[in-house]
């Protein structure tokens, strides 16, 4: 039969694992100047090491044991403050004092009155509150960016709760398992400590991946979506209430030839900027290439799409220090039953050429 290791052995495993992650966080911080959230996480697990060493040396002293319970709460707070710093929001909140004080007070009060079992129950209840509060915020905090790594860390913290509840039940029923309050968390550490830290470490990588994906879907010059962006986001806009506005700058080559490519680039940026300021919701502004743009309007009619195109057209060419310029536009609706924007794009393109053939600087449908 498998035997459960003794508490000192499990404690040593938790100390070594936590110390290793402290080294990892400090190494990452040295390589990534300015990412102070890594220091919060390093401090959190360094405190855990200190706390475990303190329990091994002074665990039976009521005042010191109470302080160590508070340090466990502070370690949980530092996990959360690191996540807040990662997201660029205020790291410390008044309610966090409860996360520190509840385990400390839960242990210290009964211990000083001579009730050691009640002290262990009180401290464990405080830690249950800590894990529930911090874990729940990590999983679903409204002000936090939604990342898989953050949620993994949150679920890892919540994973400690069942063990704590079992320990409380054993203590409350005068169970005969020795040092159960030390045994259960140490057993949980062997699985959950690595999951918690790997979730936190994954967060910067997820952010970098997300940033790279955004860059890949955007036109570097104008900030509008590119063709890949249209492919990624376009299918979500397809319905019978979707309009497509094809835009082409009139005589764009002449602008480049006369004023230079820098002026031409400024005109492209002006077009995209004006268009993006006028869209909302799931609408899209896309640069297909060169001076060809498309605006996808959701919840539109042919009339509102034409009105949008005319308003947009009249707003062009008003930026100081830019050459005067105009654009022609073609408007088309997604037909009932169509599952792609491509047919509407083709019809909008034909309407665009009708506008150019009718004298340019106008919209046609």
């Amino acid at each position: 039969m498998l035997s459960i290791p003794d508490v000192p052995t499990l404690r040593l495993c938790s100390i070594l694992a936590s110390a290793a992650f402290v080294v990892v966080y400090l190494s990452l911080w040295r390589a990534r100047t300015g990412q102070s959230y890594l220091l919060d996480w390093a401090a959190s697990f360094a405190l855990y090491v200190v706390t475990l060493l303190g329990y091994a040396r002074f665990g039976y002293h009521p005042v010191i044991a109470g302080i160590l319970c508070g340090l466990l709460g502070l370690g949980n707070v530092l996990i959360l403050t690191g996540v807040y710093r990662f997201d660029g929001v205020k790291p410390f909140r008044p309610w966090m004092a409860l996360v520190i004080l509840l385990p400390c007070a839960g242990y210290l009060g009964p211990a000083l009155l001579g009730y050691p079992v009640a002290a262990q129950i009180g401290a464990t209840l405080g830690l249950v509150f800590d894990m529930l509060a911090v874990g729940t915020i990590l999983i679903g905090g409204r002000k936090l960016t939604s990342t898989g790594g953050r949620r993994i860390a949150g679920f890892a913290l919540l994973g400690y709760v069942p063990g704590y509840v079992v320990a409380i039940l054993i203590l409350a029923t005068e169970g005969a398992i020795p040092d159960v309050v030390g045994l259960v968390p140490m057993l949980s550490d062997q699985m959950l400590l690595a999951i918690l830290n790997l979730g936190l470490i994954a967060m910067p990588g997820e952010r970098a991946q997300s940033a790279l994906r955004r860059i890949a879907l955007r036109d570097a010059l104008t900030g509008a979506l590119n063709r890949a962006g249209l492919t990624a986001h376009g299918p979500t806009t397809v319905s019978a209430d979707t309009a497509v506005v094809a835009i082409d700058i009139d005589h764009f080559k002449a602008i480049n030839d006369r004023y230079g490519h820098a002026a031409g680039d400024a005109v492209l940026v002006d077009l995209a900027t004006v268009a993006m300021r006028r869209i909302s919701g799931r609408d899209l502004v896309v640069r297909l290439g060169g001076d060809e743009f498309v605006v996808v309007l959701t919840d539109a009619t042919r009339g509102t799409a034409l009105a949008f195109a005319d308003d947009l057209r009249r707003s062009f060419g008003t930026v100081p220090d830019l050459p005067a310029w105009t654009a022609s536009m073609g408007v088309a609706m997604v037909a009932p039953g169509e599952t792609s924007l491509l047919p509407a794009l083709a019809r909008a393109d034909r309407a665009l050429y009708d506008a150019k053939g009718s004298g340019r600087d106008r919209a046609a449908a």
Side-chain angles (χ1 to χ4, degrees), residues 13-14 54 69 76 119 137 182 196 212 223 243 245 322 329 334 349 362:
C13 292
S14 294
C69 289
N76 288 326
I137 291 172
L196 168 61
L212 287 173
V245 182
L322 280 184
M329 304 185 193
V334 171
D349 197 52
R362 64 194 63 204

Side-chain angles (χ1 to χ4, degrees), residues 38 45 81 87 104 111 126 133 149 167 174 214-215 238 269-270 301 336 342 354:
L38 293 166
F45 291 97
T81 59
D87 279 341
C104 178
E174 299 182 354
R214 286 196 301 272
I215 291 171
V238 177
V269 171
D270 185 29
T301 65
L342 292 178
D354 289 342

Side-chain angles (χ1 to χ4, degrees), residues 20-45:
F21 281 113
V22 172
V23 173
V24 169
Y25 288 127
L26 291 177
S27 300
L28 291 173
W29 173 71
R30 288 193 64 186
R32 304 173 181 177
T33 306
Q35 297 187 355
S36 58
Y37 59 87
L38 293 166
L39 292 179
D40 287 53
W41 296 339
S44 172
F45 291 97

Side-chain angles (χ1 to χ4, degrees), residues 176-321:
I177 298 178
D179 202 8
V180 65
V181 173
L183 178 64
V184 172
M186 296 300 101
L187 282 172
S188 300
D189 274 350
Q190 308 318 304
M191 177 176 67
L192 296 174
L193 198 61
I195 295 173
L196 168 61
N197 282 281
L198 291 175
L200 296 175
I201 290 171
M203 289 171 59
E206 290 176 330
R207 171 178 284 178
Q209 270 191 329
S210 178
L212 287 173
R213 188 171 188 275
R214 286 196 301 272
I215 291 171
L217 300 181
R218 292 277 172 183
D219 174 56
L221 175 64
T222 64
L225 293 173
N226 55 23
R227 286 183 180 270
L230 179 61
T231 300
H233 296 288
T236 64
T237 66
V238 177
S239 75
D241 296 323
T242 300
V244 175
V245 182
I247 306 171
D248 194 82
I249 298 173
D250 297 326
H251 305 295
F252 184 65
K253 184 177 183 304
I255 294 173
N256 280 327
D257 291 343
R258 182 174 179 182
Y259 299 100
H261 288 281
D265 287 348
V267 167
L268 295 173
V269 171
D270 185 29
L271 189 159
T273 301
V274 171
M276 287 189 287
R277 285 174 180 167
R278 280 166 169 72
I279 63 171
S280 61
R282 295 182 298 127
D283 299 345
L284 308 175
V285 176
V286 184
R287 184 186 179 193
L288 297 179
D291 62 324
E292 299 177 33
F293 288 79
V294 165
V295 177
V296 180
L297 301 173
T298 56
D299 298 321
T301 65
R302 186 179 298 273
T304 59
L306 277 169
F308 173 88
D310 279 328
D311 176 66
L312 190 62
R313 180 178 55 80
R314 286 190 292 268
S315 302
F316 289 154
T318 59
V319 176
D321 302 322

